[in-house]
Amino acid sequence: MIQQIDTRKVEELAGKVIGDVAGALSLFMAYIGDQAGLFDALDGEGRLSVAQLAQKTGLNEKYLHEWLGSVSAAGYLNFHPEDETFSISPEQALVFAREGQPACMQGFIQAVVSQYESHEKSVETFRSGKGRPWSDQSECCFCGTDRFFRPGYAANLTSDWIPSLGGVEEKLKAGAKIADIGCGHGSSSILMAQAYPNSEVIGFDFHEPSIEEARRKAKAAGVGNVHFEVASAQDYPGKAYDFACIFDALHDMGDPVGAARHIRETLKEDGTFMLVEPMAGDSMADNMHPLGQIFYAFSTTVCTPASLAQDVGLGIGAQAGQKRLTEVLEEAGFGSVRRASETPTNMVLEVTA
Ligand SMILES: C[S@@+](CC[C@H](N)C(=O)[O-])C[C@H]1O[C@@H](n2cnc3c(N)ncnc32)[C@H](O)[C@@H]1O
């Protein structure tokens, strides 16, 4: 059969791919700039020549010249041809230099770059259909994940998400027992411990290096009412929790039903489980936008392999959506699931008996 080719459509698609190639490389350049301290070095300095930036940072002028050309062409920095200098605007600084600001994208970028670092393993996993444990991802992936999620938690967790749940904030202020399951580097646990000093927070994760990092962070922050334990979601210790939460981790678990069942069994009768999951619609058709593009990609190389590497290996994926999550929670024995809050990237579900 002779297929008619619409050359205009081919050109359009090829043009889009060129834009994507430019974007992929720009993220890598932004990562180099982040790790080499270049955005910070430019922040607040006005215009600097290549030689001045080289002097300030001690970096090779030849490399800086090429790097500055790329990031300026990307619009991440500004090139001033009249005097051959470079600058960072306050808006660019918020996105590339100011660690901890909600607009800072460096954690997101680090998580993307981490996927290129182990691309052969991803191909192998994909072709074999086997799982790939979370622990097999690179260090850059763990740090990038925490760096990416933390500003969103800092901006929303205690000011919006917890207050949106019925009666929970009052309990936590008075003093409650909190389990943060799949806590990773512990940012969410530490934020809750700081906001609710009368409460006791226990962060659980089965990835030992993450728990060690969480302990280091809590110590550095000087927070005493939080501690961390290596434990899996299906059988972490303790009983009679007032509040349990999972941040962006249920879909990474092999047995999310088993994890949710254990939460139900270890919560007090009137306790609340707050489930934070990536924003998604209930069908793939609802997720055909850039956020879906991003989450399905991470799900292909990180989340779904992490789930398939565990017992049960349900692999619900990072775009499961509220309907599928509700099925999981009801199978675990919970009676009520309500969307309590949301951001453009997360949904917050209030789950009760
Ligand atoms: C995407 S990370 C999220 C980490 C953290 N909650 C955050 O928001 O930064 C997923 C975490 O779930 C943990 N995890 C996955 N399956 C688990 C299981 N069955 N039991 C305990 N932790 C698990 C991983 O070790 C990882 O730290």
Side-chain angles (χ1 to χ4, degrees):
M1 193 179 84
I2 300 169
Q3 284 188 314
Q4 291 294 325
I5 297 287
D6 183 336
T7 51
R8 195 184 45 82
K9 284 188 182 165
V10 176
E11 279 165 20
E12 257 175 35
L13 183 57
K16 180 185 181 306
V17 172
I18 287 172
D20 292 348
V21 169
L25 288 165
S26 293
L27 293 190
F28 189 28
M29 293 296 110
Y31 177 70
I32 290 178
D34 171 56
Q35 297 296 306
L38 285 162
F39 295 107
D40 288 343
L42 280 155
D43 193 8
E45 282 291 327
R47 296 179 178 202
L48 291 183
S49 66
V50 181
Q52 285 169 323
L53 189 59
Q55 196 177 21
K56 182 157 193 229
T57 58
L59 294 169
N60 182 316
E61 210 172 312
K62 294 271 182 211
Y63 288 150
L64 279 179
H65 181 270
E66 306 307 302
W67 181 84
L68 284 162
S70 179
V71 288
S72 299
Y76 293 1
L77 291 178
N78 309 301
F79 173 51
H80 308 284
E82 59 281 12
D83 57 0
E84 302 225 321
T85 56
F86 301 86
S87 66
I88 189 165
S89 69
E91 295 78 18
Q92 289 164 331
L94 275 175
V95 174
F96 295 108
R98 309 265 172 87
E99 187 70 36
Q101 291 290 320
C104 184
M105 292 285 169
Q106 289 292 2
F108 212 173
I109 293 169
Q110 189 165 356
V112 172
V113 171
S114 78
Q115 292 312 293
Y116 285 92
E117 188 184 349
S118 59
H119 64 284
E120 287 301 350
K121 280 193 178 174
S122 289
V123 174
E124 200 182 296
T125 305
F126 190 84
R127 293 179 74 162
S128 72
K130 292 183 182 152
R132 181 179 172 203
W134 173 257
S135 56
D136 193 48
Q137 294 287 336
S138 68
E139 186 55 38
C140 184
C141 178
F142 309 136
C143 294
T145 302
D146 179 60
R147 217 175 153 194
F148 167 54
F149 285 135
R150 190 178 350 115
Y153 300 159
N156 299 296
L157 174 54
T158 59
S159 61
D160 175 37
W161 296 350
I162 288 175
S164 74
L165 309 169
V168 172
E169 189 181 36
E170 295 74 20
K171 281 189 200 172
L172 303 197
K173 279 184 177 163
K177 195 169 153 194
I178 306 172
D180 182 0
I181 303 123
C183 66
H185 284 193
S187 291
S188 49
S189 317
I190 294 169
L191 284 166
M192 289 189 284
Q194 286 169 327
Y196 309 110
N198 296 328
S199 286
E200 180 202 2
V201 187
I202 311 167
F204 298 107
D205 200 292
F206 72 170
H207 183 235
E208 196 166 349
S210 288
I211 288 296
E212 283 164 10
E213 181 60 21
R215 286 178 181 146
R216 265 194 296 278
K217 284 189 170 194
K219 198 170 172 203
V223 203
N225 57 327
V226 62
H227 72 270
F228 295 97
E229 290 184 32
V230 177
S232 91
Q234 304 83 262
D235 58 11
Y236 60 84
K239 276 193 171 62
Y241 290 97
D242 298 284
F243 183 50
C245 34
I246 298 189
F247 297 87
D248 287 294
L250 186 78
H251 63 271
D252 296 290
M253 294 176 185
D255 183 8
V257 176
R261 188 177 297 121
H262 188 64
I263 288 174
R264 188 179 56 75
E265 287 167 358
T266 54
L267 262 183
K268 281 185 182 162
E269 201 48 43
D270 65 346
T272 301
F273 169 28
M274 180 176 75
L275 176 61
V276 178
E277 274 287 294
M279 180 55 82
D282 287 327
S283 75
M284 190 176 267
D286 296 330
N287 302 327
M288 292 293 107
H289 46 63
L291 209 57
Q293 184 182 349
I294 292 165
F295 280 131
Y296 280 124
F298 278 121
S299 195
T300 306
T301 61
V302 184
C303 317
T304 302
S307 174
L308 297 192
Q310 299 180 34
D311 284 348
V312 183
L314 197 62
I316 61 173
Q319 289 286 268
Q322 184 167 341
K323 192 162 160 259
R324 179 73 186 105
L325 291 167
T326 302
E327 285 167 8
V328 165
L329 295 163
E330 286 176 350
E331 200 183 329
F334 282 106
S336 162
V337 180
R338 174 180 80 88
R339 173 97 53 116
S341 187
E342 61 183 38
T343 65
T345 53
N346 280 116
M347 65 174 87
V348 179
L349 302 180
E350 177 181 40
V351 187
T352 50

